[in-house]
Amino acid sequence: MQSALTLLSALAEPTRLAAVRLLWDGREHCVCELVRVLGVTQSRMSRHMAALKQAGIVIDRRDAQWVRYRRNPELPAEQAAIIDAVVNSLKTRSDRKAA
Amino acid sequence: MQSALTLLSALAEPTRLAAVRLLWDGREHCVCELVRVLGVTQSRMSRHMAALKQAGIVIDRRDAQWVRYRRNPELPAEQAAIIDAVVNSLKTRSDRKAA
DNA sequence: TGCGCATATGCGTGCAAGCGCATTTATGAT
DNA sequence: ATCATAAATGCGCTTGCACGCATATGCGCA
């Protein structure tokens, strides 16, 4: 049950959920981009990305002065299914841009 | 995004997640049964069930001195899909009884 | 070497969540 | 009426989380 709780806790926060939604396009995104798009402070974004990484949801890669985050390709299928369902639920109506 | 966050926050707590797993058999369960099965105090269980009800995940029904909870049949499909995925992930290996 | 951009982190603060205990409220049985 | 069982709730406490600010670290370029 622990892994499910870890996953759910990681997703149950607005900034992190928004970040996961963005990262779920399968591509890489640097922290500075997320900061710009989501309109949050840098330290806040950095910490939340560290939390998502800690939860095993994303992985990071250093690229010059940037750190690029992306969806963890080794995420177990059962957990990926949960996130897919969550992200899918965000596609509904006004959720496309609403906070 | 709010409804997804509400749902995720409700599930991201051990006692509530355990309760949801039990209730996801589709049948009714009174608080006293959950207290016994999950081994938690009565006030704790009562509050957590109130939280799940508040989140729209379950509904309750008074039956004599008991209050019977069950899965909310009117839960939107996108949200039900999330919970289904979560509950399904709990079926893996040792998660059957582990806390 | 020195500068600038990107990212991480130490620190202190405020707030919300979860808890147990005790009590109250419902309901039914004797 | 009294009592027993079930459930909810007021209260106070503790803890963990998220936050911003300031600073440190990593990296490339001039």
Side-chain angles (χ1 to χ4, degrees):
Chain A
M1 168 163 282
Q2 195 46 60
S3 66
L5 281 170
T6 299
L7 183 72
L8 291 166
S9 299
L11 296 176
E13 199 284 329
T15 303
R16 288 197 295 266
L17 182 56
V20 166
R21 169 155 61 159
L22 287 177
L23 291 197
W24 239 238
D25 67 358
R27 289 180 294 167
E28 284 187 329
H29 299 266
C30 64
V31 180
C32 59
E33 179 194 344
L34 300 173
V35 165
R36 268 181 271 115
V37 175
L38 300 180
V40 299
T41 65
Q42 183 269 322
S43 78
R44 185 168 160 181
M45 198 73 250
S46 177
R47 281 186 215 276
H48 282 306
M49 294 314 293
L52 289 174
K53 179 184 172 186
Q54 174 69 26
I57 296 175
V58 304
I59 59 175
D60 64 343
R61 175 178 75 91
R62 185 105 216 180
D63 175 16
Q65 68 252 63
W66 298 278
V67 173
R68 317 234 181 233
Y69 282 93
R70 68 178 191 279
R71 166 181 178 155
N72 178 6
E74 301 187 13
L75 193 63
E78 307 86 27
Q79 300 200 23
I82 293 172
I83 303 184
D84 288 344
V86 170
V87 171
N88 183 62
S89 82
L90 296 176
K91 295 199 166 81
T92 309
R93 292 178 304 275
S94 55
D95 276 335
R96 289 184 196 272
K97 72 183 179 94
Chain B
M1 168 162 282
Q2 195 47 60
S3 66
L5 280 170
T6 299
L7 183 72
L8 291 166
S9 299
L11 296 177
E13 199 285 330
T15 303
R16 288 197 296 266
L17 181 56
V20 166
R21 168 155 62 158
L22 287 176
L23 290 197
W24 238 239
D25 66 358
R27 287 180 294 166
E28 285 186 329
H29 300 266
C30 63
V31 178
C32 59
E33 179 195 344
L34 300 173
V35 164
R36 270 181 270 117
V37 175
L38 300 181
V40 300
T41 65
Q42 183 267 321
S43 78
R44 185 168 159 180
M45 198 73 250
S46 177
R47 282 187 215 276
H48 281 306
M49 294 315 294
L52 289 175
K53 179 183 171 185
Q54 175 70 26
I57 297 175
V58 304
I59 59 175
D60 64 342
R61 173 178 76 91
R62 185 105 215 181
D63 175 18
Q65 68 254 63
W66 299 277
V67 172
R68 315 228 182 240
Y69 282 92
R70 69 177 189 279
R71 165 182 179 155
N72 179 7
E74 301 186 14
L75 194 63
E78 306 87 26
Q79 301 201 24
I82 294 172
I83 304 184
D84 288 345
V86 170
V87 171
N88 183 62
S89 82
L90 296 177
K91 295 199 165 81
T92 310
R93 291 177 304 275
S94 56
D95 275 336
R96 290 185 195 272
K97 72 183 181 91

